[in-house]
Amino acid sequence: MSDLYKNIPKIDKLLENKEIKSCINKYGRDFVLTIIRKHLDNIRNNIANNIISRIDEEEILNTLIYKIDKENKSKFKKVVNGTGVIVHTNLGRSIFSEEIAQEISGNLCSYSNLEYNLDTGERGQRYDHIIDIIKEVTGAEDALVVNNNAAAVLLTLKTLAFGKEVIVSRGELVEIGGSFRIPDVIKESGCTLKEVGTTNKTHLKDYISAVTENTGAIIKIHTSNYKIVGFTDDVDTKDLKKISYEKNIPLIEDLGSGMIIDLHNFGLNKEPTVRETLDRGVDVVTFSGDKLLGGPQCGVIVGKSKYIKKIKKNQLLRALRVDKFTIMSLELTLKAYLNPDTLSLKVPTIRMITEDVEDVKLRAQRLLEKINSLNSTNIHCELMKTNSMIGGGAYPLDRLDSWGIKLKIEGSSEKETEERLRSNDIPIIVRILEGNIIIDCKTILEKDEDEIFNALNKIIGEKND
Ligand SMILES: *Cc1c(COP(=O)(O)O)cnc(C)c1O
C-alpha cells in the first residue's frame, strides 16, 4: 500500500517531461500545475479507497496531457444538427452562411465606426448603421434593435405604458421557451395586466369595455408556439386599430418570429409578415432576429416614429443595447433580403425552409453512399422520407417534407448509438424514431457529411476492438 504512494511520480519530474513542457509553453505553468496537483490528489484518494492497485507513470502522463488539452478546448462546440428542426433554440437557432460569416470576421479583428460618424468625425449612433435597411425591408417609419425579442417587448411596454394597464386577450397569454411569460414580462415592465375575453374567444366588445383612462397599451401576442383550434375567435387588428386610434392608445404586436418574406408561397400556412402587420395599422411591432429572419440573436422594434423615438430615449436601452457583431451580422442578413435571387445562398434558414424537397433527397442519397462506403456489415442504413420542423416556436403545426437516413448499428441499442454520436468530438445530434436513429438531412450541411462518416467509422472501429 505505502509503495503505491511512493510510486506516484513527483511533480518536478512530471514537469521535466517533454510533452508537459510543451503544454506549459502553450497554456502556462500555473494552469498545468493546477491540473497535475488535482490529478495526483485524485490518485492518492483512489489509493486510499483501494480503487487502484498499481501506478503507471506513462498512463498518468497520458491522462494529464488529455486533461490539459480538454480543459483548454472551448466548452462551446459546433454540432451537427441531424434533428431536422431548422430554428433549433437549443442548437443556436439560425446559422450564418460562409459568405456572411467571412464578411463579419474580416471586420471583427479591426476597430470600426460603430459609434463614430465618419462624415463629421464626431460621435455617432450604433443604431444608425441598420435603421435604413430595417426600414427598407419592413416598410417601417423607424426602427431600433435590442438584445432579443424579450428585451424588445420589455423596453416597448416600459416606455409606452409604465404604471398603466396593458390589455391582452386571454388566448394570447403565452409562455415561450420556459422563461418568457407574457404576464411576467408585463409585470416586469411596471405595467398591470388587464386580461380580456376567454382562452378560445375574444371579441371586440371585450377590448372596448376594458379601455379606461388608465389604459397604457393594447398588445397582441402572436401565439407562435401553439394553436388554439376549433371554436375560436379573435379580433382583427384593423378593429383594434380603431379603438387605439380613437383613444390615442398605442397598439403593439409581438410577432415572435419576424417574417420578412411571405413563406406562404413555400407551402406553409399564411402568417403575417412584418410589413403586413405594420400595414394593418399596428403602431409598434417586435420580433426576433434569429428565428425566421435567419440572423443574429436580437430583438427588432419597428413602427411609428413618435413611439420609436420615445423608446430610443429610455435609459434602459443602454442595458439592452446590442454589440457590434450583432449590428454587422444583422445588417448583412437584412441586405440579403434585397436580392431574392441570392437570398437562399446568404441566409441558410431561408434556404432550408424554401428549398426543393428533391434537393434534400440528393443530400440524403449522397450521405447514404458515404456511409455505405464504410463497407461495414454492422451498419444498416436506408433512405427515408421524414417531416422536418421550422422550430423556434414558429409554425407549430406545419411540417416540411424532407429526407433522411434511418440507421441501426448491430449490437448497439438506439440509445447507445445516439449517445455515442452525441459524445463525438463534433457532436452529432439525431432523433430516435421507433427504435431507429434518424439523421434528418434538412439541417445537414455539406461539411457535416465527413463528420458523420468519421464518427460512424470510429464507432464501428471501437466495436471491433
Ligand atoms: C420567441 C418569441 C419571443 C422571445 O423572443 P427571443 O428573441 O427569444 O427573446 C417572444 N414572443 C414571441 C411571440 C416569440 O415567439
Side-chain angles (χ1 to χ4, degrees), residues 89 93 146-153 172 174-177 180 182 185 220-225 253-258 286-291 296-300 392-394:
T89 294
R93 289 196 181 161
V146 290
N147 247 320
N148 49 36
N149 187 29
V153 177
E172 299 172 5
V174 295
E175 171 179 305
I176 290 136
F180 183 86
I182 288 296
V185 176
K220 275 196 74 79
I221 314 292
H222 194 69
T223 54
S224 45
N225 59 355
E253 181 152 356
D254 169 12
L255 262 190
S257 323
T286 73
F287 55 95
S288 293
D290 54 356
K291 290 184 180 171
Q297 177 195 303
C298 62
V300 185

mmCIF file of all heavy atoms in Angstrom, residues 89 93 146-153 172 174-177 180 182 185 220-225 253-258 286-291 296-300 392-394, ligand 1:
data_model
loop_
_atom_site.group_PDB
_atom_site.id
_atom_site.type_symbol
_atom_site.label_atom_id
_atom_site.label_comp_id
_atom_site.label_asym_id
_atom_site.label_seq_id
_atom_site.Cartn_x
_atom_site.Cartn_y
_atom_site.Cartn_z
ATOM 1 N N THR A 89 -33.796 26.059 -30.999
ATOM 2 C CA THR A 89 -33.366 27.005 -29.966
ATOM 3 C C THR A 89 -32.198 26.445 -29.149
ATOM 4 O O THR A 89 -31.270 27.169 -28.811
ATOM 5 C CB THR A 89 -34.548 27.392 -29.065
ATOM 6 O OG1 THR A 89 -35.482 28.115 -29.874
ATOM 7 C CG2 THR A 89 -34.119 28.313 -27.933
ATOM 8 N N ARG A 93 -30.410 28.264 -32.784
ATOM 9 C CA ARG A 93 -31.341 28.870 -33.750
ATOM 10 C C ARG A 93 -30.726 29.004 -35.143
ATOM 11 O O ARG A 93 -30.261 28.025 -35.684
ATOM 12 C CB ARG A 93 -31.858 30.211 -33.226
ATOM 13 C CG ARG A 93 -32.819 30.026 -32.048
ATOM 14 C CD ARG A 93 -33.612 31.280 -31.779
ATOM 15 N NE ARG A 93 -34.509 31.108 -30.636
ATOM 16 C CZ ARG A 93 -35.042 32.089 -29.952
ATOM 17 N NH1 ARG A 93 -34.794 33.342 -30.282
ATOM 18 N NH2 ARG A 93 -35.855 31.845 -28.938
ATOM 19 N N VAL A 146 -32.514 45.663 -30.079
ATOM 20 C CA VAL A 146 -32.016 45.339 -28.737
ATOM 21 C C VAL A 146 -31.606 43.870 -28.699
ATOM 22 O O VAL A 146 -31.675 43.171 -29.714
ATOM 23 C CB VAL A 146 -33.067 45.641 -27.641
ATOM 24 C CG1 VAL A 146 -33.254 47.144 -27.470
ATOM 25 C CG2 VAL A 146 -34.391 44.968 -27.949
ATOM 26 N N ASN A 147 -31.213 43.416 -27.507
ATOM 27 C CA ASN A 147 -30.601 42.091 -27.371
ATOM 28 C C ASN A 147 -31.409 40.882 -27.821
ATOM 29 O O ASN A 147 -30.868 39.903 -28.307
ATOM 30 C CB ASN A 147 -30.217 41.885 -25.921
ATOM 31 C CG ASN A 147 -28.734 41.834 -25.803
ATOM 32 O OD1 ASN A 147 -28.083 41.231 -26.660
ATOM 33 N ND2 ASN A 147 -28.191 42.454 -24.797
ATOM 34 N N ASN A 148 -32.694 40.895 -27.580
ATOM 35 C CA ASN A 148 -33.560 39.818 -28.077
ATOM 36 C C ASN A 148 -34.998 40.316 -28.073
ATOM 37 O O ASN A 148 -35.267 41.437 -27.627
ATOM 38 C CB ASN A 148 -33.403 38.526 -27.258
ATOM 39 C CG ASN A 148 -33.485 38.792 -25.773
ATOM 40 O OD1 ASN A 148 -34.259 39.649 -25.348
ATOM 41 N ND2 ASN A 148 -32.714 38.083 -24.994
ATOM 42 N N ASN A 149 -35.900 39.497 -28.536
ATOM 43 C CA ASN A 149 -37.286 39.943 -28.631
ATOM 44 C C ASN A 149 -37.903 40.148 -27.251
ATOM 45 O O ASN A 149 -38.753 41.008 -27.064
ATOM 46 C CB ASN A 149 -38.085 38.941 -29.465
ATOM 47 C CG ASN A 149 -39.490 39.417 -29.751
ATOM 48 O OD1 ASN A 149 -39.730 40.619 -29.823
ATOM 49 N ND2 ASN A 149 -40.413 38.498 -29.890
ATOM 50 N N ALA A 150 -37.471 39.355 -26.274
ATOM 51 C CA ALA A 150 -37.980 39.537 -24.911
ATOM 52 C C ALA A 150 -37.643 40.954 -24.435
ATOM 53 O O ALA A 150 -38.489 41.659 -23.865
ATOM 54 C CB ALA A 150 -37.365 38.500 -23.980
ATOM 55 N N ALA A 151 -36.407 41.380 -24.707
ATOM 56 C CA ALA A 151 -35.985 42.737 -24.335
ATOM 57 C C ALA A 151 -36.770 43.778 -25.124
ATOM 58 O O ALA A 151 -37.106 44.847 -24.601
ATOM 59 C CB ALA A 151 -34.494 42.903 -24.580
ATOM 60 N N ALA A 152 -37.085 43.457 -26.375
ATOM 61 C CA ALA A 152 -37.838 44.393 -27.217
ATOM 62 C C ALA A 152 -39.226 44.647 -26.632
ATOM 63 O O ALA A 152 -39.686 45.792 -26.543
ATOM 64 C CB ALA A 152 -37.945 43.844 -28.643
ATOM 65 N N VAL A 153 -39.891 43.564 -26.188
ATOM 66 C CA VAL A 153 -41.232 43.700 -25.608
ATOM 67 C C VAL A 153 -41.139 44.470 -24.291
ATOM 68 O O VAL A 153 -41.920 45.393 -24.028
ATOM 69 C CB VAL A 153 -41.878 42.307 -25.381
ATOM 70 C CG1 VAL A 153 -43.235 42.443 -24.718
ATOM 71 C CG2 VAL A 153 -42.023 41.556 -26.704
ATOM 72 N N GLU A 172 -53.971 34.827 -25.609
ATOM 73 C CA GLU A 172 -52.600 35.158 -26.027
ATOM 74 C C GLU A 172 -51.630 35.264 -24.860
ATOM 75 O O GLU A 172 -50.503 35.740 -25.021
ATOM 76 C CB GLU A 172 -52.614 36.493 -26.802
ATOM 77 C CG GLU A 172 -53.464 36.428 -28.059
ATOM 78 C CD GLU A 172 -53.655 37.793 -28.731
ATOM 79 O OE1 GLU A 172 -53.060 38.780 -28.276
ATOM 80 O OE2 GLU A 172 -54.431 37.853 -29.698
ATOM 81 N N VAL A 174 -49.242 33.737 -23.392
ATOM 82 C CA VAL A 174 -48.434 32.550 -23.651
ATOM 83 C C VAL A 174 -47.131 32.533 -22.868
ATOM 84 O O VAL A 174 -46.656 33.539 -22.361
ATOM 85 C CB VAL A 174 -48.105 32.434 -25.156
ATOM 86 C CG1 VAL A 174 -49.361 32.202 -25.940
ATOM 87 C CG2 VAL A 174 -47.382 33.684 -25.645
ATOM 88 N N GLU A 175 -46.562 31.335 -22.808
ATOM 89 C CA GLU A 175 -45.190 31.180 -22.329
ATOM 90 C C GLU A 175 -44.361 30.696 -23.507
ATOM 91 O O GLU A 175 -44.760 29.797 -24.229
ATOM 92 C CB GLU A 175 -45.117 30.141 -21.206
ATOM 93 C CG GLU A 175 -43.686 29.799 -20.855
ATOM 94 C CD GLU A 175 -43.554 28.794 -19.731
ATOM 95 O OE1 GLU A 175 -44.108 29.047 -18.652
ATOM 96 O OE2 GLU A 175 -42.890 27.770 -19.958
ATOM 97 N N ILE A 176 -43.211 31.305 -23.696
ATOM 98 C CA ILE A 176 -42.335 30.901 -24.793
ATOM 99 C C ILE A 176 -40.984 30.474 -24.244
ATOM 100 O O ILE A 176 -40.351 31.213 -23.507
ATOM 101 C CB ILE A 176 -42.164 32.047 -25.812
ATOM 102 C CG1 ILE A 176 -43.486 32.251 -26.552
ATOM 103 C CG2 ILE A 176 -41.078 31.750 -26.811
ATOM 104 C CD1 ILE A 176 -43.869 33.659 -26.713
ATOM 105 N N GLY A 177 -40.569 29.261 -24.575
ATOM 106 C CA GLY A 177 -39.237 28.773 -24.211
ATOM 107 C C GLY A 177 -38.929 28.808 -22.725
ATOM 108 O O GLY A 177 -37.812 29.103 -22.333
ATOM 109 N N PHE A 180 -39.969 33.050 -20.901
ATOM 110 C CA PHE A 180 -40.641 34.256 -21.379
ATOM 111 C C PHE A 180 -42.147 34.066 -21.249
ATOM 112 O O PHE A 180 -42.772 33.387 -22.052
ATOM 113 C CB PHE A 180 -40.266 34.534 -22.844
ATOM 114 C CG PHE A 180 -40.855 35.803 -23.398
ATOM 115 C CD1 PHE A 180 -40.210 37.017 -23.234
ATOM 116 C CD2 PHE A 180 -42.063 35.785 -24.081
ATOM 117 C CE1 PHE A 180 -40.748 38.192 -23.750
ATOM 118 C CE2 PHE A 180 -42.610 36.959 -24.602
ATOM 119 C CZ PHE A 180 -41.951 38.160 -24.428
ATOM 120 N N ILE A 182 -45.666 36.072 -20.992
ATOM 121 C CA ILE A 182 -46.224 37.395 -21.238
ATOM 122 C C ILE A 182 -46.699 38.083 -19.944
ATOM 123 O O ILE A 182 -46.351 39.244 -19.701
ATOM 124 C CB ILE A 182 -47.344 37.308 -22.309
ATOM 125 C CG1 ILE A 182 -46.708 37.049 -23.685
ATOM 126 C CG2 ILE A 182 -48.181 38.571 -22.345
ATOM 127 C CD1 ILE A 182 -45.805 38.177 -24.180
ATOM 128 N N VAL A 185 -43.639 39.376 -18.149
ATOM 129 C CA VAL A 185 -42.956 40.477 -18.829
ATOM 130 C C VAL A 185 -43.731 41.777 -18.627
ATOM 131 O O VAL A 185 -43.138 42.843 -18.408
ATOM 132 C CB VAL A 185 -42.786 40.173 -20.340
ATOM 133 C CG1 VAL A 185 -42.159 41.353 -21.068
ATOM 134 C CG2 VAL A 185 -41.922 38.936 -20.541
ATOM 135 N N LYS A 220 -50.994 42.720 -28.827
ATOM 136 C CA LYS A 220 -51.357 41.419 -29.402
ATOM 137 C C LYS A 220 -50.093 40.563 -29.425
ATOM 138 O O LYS A 220 -49.017 41.038 -29.770
ATOM 139 C CB LYS A 220 -51.867 41.587 -30.841
ATOM 140 C CG LYS A 220 -53.337 41.917 -30.912
ATOM 141 C CD LYS A 220 -53.904 41.709 -32.312
ATOM 142 C CE LYS A 220 -54.091 40.265 -32.683
ATOM 143 N NZ LYS A 220 -55.296 39.642 -32.128
ATOM 144 N N ILE A 221 -50.249 39.313 -29.012
ATOM 145 C CA ILE A 221 -49.103 38.412 -28.996
ATOM 146 C C ILE A 221 -49.350 37.361 -30.062
ATOM 147 O O ILE A 221 -50.394 36.709 -30.059
ATOM 148 C CB ILE A 221 -48.967 37.677 -27.640
ATOM 149 C CG1 ILE A 221 -49.136 38.642 -26.465
ATOM 150 C CG2 ILE A 221 -47.654 36.907 -27.578
ATOM 151 C CD1 ILE A 221 -48.066 39.651 -26.297
ATOM 152 N N HIS A 222 -48.369 37.195 -30.937
ATOM 153 C CA HIS A 222 -48.501 36.145 -31.930
ATOM 154 C C HIS A 222 -48.273 34.827 -31.213
ATOM 155 O O HIS A 222 -47.179 34.566 -30.723
ATOM 156 C CB HIS A 222 -47.482 36.354 -33.038
ATOM 157 C CG HIS A 222 -47.782 35.526 -34.223
ATOM 158 N ND1 HIS A 222 -48.880 35.770 -35.006
ATOM 159 C CD2 HIS A 222 -47.168 34.450 -34.726
ATOM 160 C CE1 HIS A 222 -48.912 34.871 -35.962
ATOM 161 N NE2 HIS A 222 -47.890 34.049 -35.814
ATOM 162 N N THR A 223 -49.312 34.007 -31.135
ATOM 163 C CA THR A 223 -49.193 32.756 -30.368
ATOM 164 C C THR A 223 -48.444 31.757 -31.224
ATOM 165 O O THR A 223 -48.998 30.799 -31.745
ATOM 166 C CB THR A 223 -50.579 32.199 -30.006
ATOM 167 O OG1 THR A 223 -51.324 32.086 -31.213
ATOM 168 C CG2 THR A 223 -51.295 33.089 -29.043
ATOM 169 N N SER A 224 -47.128 32.004 -31.332
ATOM 170 C CA SER A 224 -46.393 31.278 -32.362
ATOM 171 C C SER A 224 -46.091 29.832 -32.015
ATOM 172 O O SER A 224 -45.863 29.026 -32.893
ATOM 173 C CB SER A 224 -45.101 32.020 -32.696
ATOM 174 O OG SER A 224 -44.446 32.423 -31.527
ATOM 175 N N ASN A 225 -46.076 29.455 -30.733
ATOM 176 C CA ASN A 225 -45.672 28.067 -30.460
ATOM 177 C C ASN A 225 -46.835 27.119 -30.175
ATOM 178 O O ASN A 225 -46.642 25.992 -29.800
ATOM 179 C CB ASN A 225 -44.637 28.002 -29.349
ATOM 180 C CG ASN A 225 -45.135 28.595 -28.050
ATOM 181 O OD1 ASN A 225 -46.232 29.147 -28.007
ATOM 182 N ND2 ASN A 225 -44.359 28.475 -27.013
ATOM 183 N N GLU A 253 -47.740 44.860 -31.311
ATOM 184 C CA GLU A 253 -47.847 43.424 -31.604
ATOM 185 C C GLU A 253 -46.480 42.766 -31.462
ATOM 186 O O GLU A 253 -45.489 43.205 -32.042
ATOM 187 C CB GLU A 253 -48.424 43.174 -33.011
ATOM 188 C CG GLU A 253 -48.554 41.679 -33.308
ATOM 189 C CD GLU A 253 -49.676 41.312 -34.291
ATOM 190 O OE1 GLU A 253 -50.424 42.210 -34.714
ATOM 191 O OE2 GLU A 253 -49.775 40.118 -34.626
ATOM 192 N N ASP A 254 -46.456 41.698 -30.641
ATOM 193 C CA ASP A 254 -45.248 40.884 -30.520
ATOM 194 C C ASP A 254 -45.396 39.750 -31.524
ATOM 195 O O ASP A 254 -46.158 38.814 -31.325
ATOM 196 C CB ASP A 254 -45.134 40.338 -29.089
ATOM 197 C CG ASP A 254 -44.047 39.276 -28.972
ATOM 198 O OD1 ASP A 254 -43.247 39.131 -29.914
ATOM 199 O OD2 ASP A 254 -44.009 38.587 -27.938
ATOM 200 N N LEU A 255 -44.650 39.859 -32.638
ATOM 201 C CA LEU A 255 -44.790 38.880 -33.727
ATOM 202 C C LEU A 255 -44.003 37.598 -33.478
ATOM 203 O O LEU A 255 -44.212 36.593 -34.143
ATOM 204 C CB LEU A 255 -44.297 39.494 -35.029
ATOM 205 C CG LEU A 255 -45.311 40.072 -35.996
ATOM 206 C CD1 LEU A 255 -44.618 40.401 -37.299
ATOM 207 C CD2 LEU A 255 -46.481 39.130 -36.261
ATOM 208 N N GLY A 256 -43.077 37.636 -32.553
ATOM 209 C CA GLY A 256 -42.254 36.436 -32.307
ATOM 210 C C GLY A 256 -41.258 36.249 -33.432
ATOM 211 O O GLY A 256 -40.244 36.930 -33.499
ATOM 212 N N SER A 257 -41.556 35.340 -34.352
ATOM 213 C CA SER A 257 -40.669 35.116 -35.497
ATOM 214 C C SER A 257 -40.927 36.225 -36.497
ATOM 215 O O SER A 257 -42.026 36.346 -36.998
ATOM 216 C CB SER A 257 -40.986 33.804 -36.176
ATOM 217 O OG SER A 257 -41.333 32.859 -35.226
ATOM 218 N N GLY A 258 -39.921 36.970 -36.812
ATOM 219 C CA GLY A 258 -40.134 38.062 -37.749
ATOM 220 C C GLY A 258 -40.005 37.576 -39.165
ATOM 221 O O GLY A 258 -38.926 37.241 -39.632
ATOM 222 N N THR A 286 -42.698 44.020 -32.626
ATOM 223 C CA THR A 286 -41.401 43.486 -32.193
ATOM 224 C C THR A 286 -41.237 42.061 -32.723
ATOM 225 O O THR A 286 -42.213 41.334 -32.875
ATOM 226 C CB THR A 286 -41.272 43.442 -30.652
ATOM 227 O OG1 THR A 286 -42.097 42.394 -30.157
ATOM 228 C CG2 THR A 286 -41.669 44.751 -30.010
ATOM 229 N N PHE A 287 -39.997 41.671 -33.012
ATOM 230 C CA PHE A 287 -39.722 40.298 -33.468
ATOM 231 C C PHE A 287 -38.260 39.923 -33.247
ATOM 232 O O PHE A 287 -37.411 40.786 -33.037
ATOM 233 C CB PHE A 287 -40.120 40.100 -34.939
ATOM 234 C CG PHE A 287 -39.497 41.078 -35.902
ATOM 235 C CD1 PHE A 287 -38.330 40.757 -36.576
ATOM 236 C CD2 PHE A 287 -40.081 42.320 -36.140
ATOM 237 C CE1 PHE A 287 -37.737 41.659 -37.475
ATOM 238 C CE2 PHE A 287 -39.503 43.221 -37.022
ATOM 239 C CZ PHE A 287 -38.337 42.890 -37.693
ATOM 240 N N SER A 288 -37.993 38.616 -33.301
ATOM 241 C CA SER A 288 -36.636 38.095 -33.074
ATOM 242 C C SER A 288 -35.790 38.178 -34.341
ATOM 243 O O SER A 288 -36.302 38.027 -35.450
ATOM 244 C CB SER A 288 -36.690 36.616 -32.675
ATOM 245 O OG SER A 288 -37.288 36.448 -31.431
ATOM 246 N N GLY A 289 -34.486 38.333 -34.153
ATOM 247 C CA GLY A 289 -33.584 38.360 -35.298
ATOM 248 C C GLY A 289 -33.107 36.985 -35.720
ATOM 249 O O GLY A 289 -32.665 36.778 -36.847
ATOM 250 N N ASP A 290 -33.174 36.008 -34.802
ATOM 251 C CA ASP A 290 -32.565 34.706 -35.102
ATOM 252 C C ASP A 290 -33.580 33.589 -35.324
ATOM 253 O O ASP A 290 -33.228 32.423 -35.330
ATOM 254 C CB ASP A 290 -31.553 34.314 -34.012
ATOM 255 C CG ASP A 290 -32.145 34.335 -32.617
ATOM 256 O OD1 ASP A 290 -33.328 34.739 -32.479
ATOM 257 O OD2 ASP A 290 -31.458 33.944 -31.670
ATOM 258 N N LYS A 291 -34.842 33.950 -35.498
ATOM 259 C CA LYS A 291 -35.817 32.910 -35.856
ATOM 260 C C LYS A 291 -35.957 32.912 -37.383
ATOM 261 O O LYS A 291 -34.973 32.662 -38.072
ATOM 262 C CB LYS A 291 -37.137 33.179 -35.140
ATOM 263 C CG LYS A 291 -37.044 32.935 -33.619
ATOM 264 C CD LYS A 291 -38.400 33.123 -32.965
ATOM 265 C CE LYS A 291 -38.336 32.876 -31.462
ATOM 266 N NZ LYS A 291 -39.609 33.262 -30.827
ATOM 267 N N PRO A 296 -28.683 37.197 -36.462
ATOM 268 C CA PRO A 296 -28.142 37.019 -35.110
ATOM 269 C C PRO A 296 -29.230 37.144 -34.052
ATOM 270 O O PRO A 296 -30.321 37.656 -34.341
ATOM 271 C CB PRO A 296 -27.180 38.202 -34.983
ATOM 272 C CG PRO A 296 -27.817 39.275 -35.820
ATOM 273 C CD PRO A 296 -28.437 38.552 -36.993
ATOM 274 N N GLN A 297 -28.919 36.700 -32.838
ATOM 275 C CA GLN A 297 -29.852 36.918 -31.733
ATOM 276 C C GLN A 297 -30.020 38.421 -31.540
ATOM 277 O O GLN A 297 -29.064 39.142 -31.334
ATOM 278 C CB GLN A 297 -29.295 36.333 -30.436
ATOM 279 C CG GLN A 297 -30.235 36.615 -29.262
ATOM 280 C CD GLN A 297 -29.578 36.378 -27.913
ATOM 281 O OE1 GLN A 297 -29.096 35.280 -27.664
ATOM 282 N NE2 GLN A 297 -29.578 37.382 -27.064
ATOM 283 N N CYS A 298 -31.250 38.879 -31.633
ATOM 284 C CA CYS A 298 -31.556 40.272 -31.310
ATOM 285 C C CYS A 298 -33.061 40.443 -31.356
ATOM 286 O O CYS A 298 -33.788 39.532 -31.748
ATOM 287 C CB CYS A 298 -30.879 41.249 -32.288
ATOM 288 S SG CYS A 298 -31.397 41.082 -33.993
ATOM 289 N N GLY A 299 -33.518 41.567 -30.893
ATOM 290 C CA GLY A 299 -34.940 41.876 -30.959
ATOM 291 C C GLY A 299 -35.093 43.152 -31.751
ATOM 292 O O GLY A 299 -34.415 44.150 -31.487
ATOM 293 N N VAL A 300 -35.943 43.135 -32.769
ATOM 294 C CA VAL A 300 -36.123 44.311 -33.607
ATOM 295 C C VAL A 300 -37.438 44.979 -33.218
ATOM 296 O O VAL A 300 -38.455 44.310 -33.037
ATOM 297 C CB VAL A 300 -36.134 43.919 -35.103
ATOM 298 C CG1 VAL A 300 -36.202 45.166 -35.978
ATOM 299 C CG2 VAL A 300 -34.911 43.082 -35.456
ATOM 300 N N GLY A 392 -38.232 26.920 -33.185
ATOM 301 C CA GLY A 392 -38.186 28.269 -32.625
ATOM 302 C C GLY A 392 -39.564 28.796 -32.296
ATOM 303 O O GLY A 392 -39.788 29.993 -32.209
ATOM 304 N N GLY A 393 -40.511 27.883 -32.166
ATOM 305 C CA GLY A 393 -41.864 28.297 -31.824
ATOM 306 C C GLY A 393 -42.677 28.741 -33.037
ATOM 307 O O GLY A 393 -43.845 29.064 -32.933
ATOM 308 N N ALA A 394 -42.053 28.724 -34.221
ATOM 309 C CA ALA A 394 -42.782 29.188 -35.398
ATOM 310 C C ALA A 394 -43.504 28.022 -36.075
ATOM 311 O O ALA A 394 -43.012 26.902 -36.066
ATOM 312 C CB ALA A 394 -41.826 29.839 -36.384
HETATM 313 C C1 LIG B 1 -39.651 33.655 -29.491
HETATM 314 C C2 LIG B 1 -40.638 34.637 -29.009
HETATM 315 C C3 LIG B 1 -40.303 35.579 -28.021
HETATM 316 C C4 LIG B 1 -38.939 35.621 -27.407
HETATM 317 O O1 LIG B 1 -38.003 36.055 -28.348
HETATM 318 P P1 LIG B 1 -36.433 35.980 -28.012
HETATM 319 O O2 LIG B 1 -35.804 36.618 -29.202
HETATM 320 O O3 LIG B 1 -36.108 34.554 -27.826
HETATM 321 O O4 LIG B 1 -36.232 36.779 -26.768
HETATM 322 C C5 LIG B 1 -41.265 36.461 -27.615
HETATM 323 N N1 LIG B 1 -42.520 36.424 -28.132
HETATM 324 C C6 LIG B 1 -42.880 35.532 -29.078
HETATM 325 C C7 LIG B 1 -44.288 35.549 -29.599
HETATM 326 C C8 LIG B 1 -41.959 34.611 -29.546
HETATM 327 O O5 LIG B 1 -42.311 33.703 -30.481
#
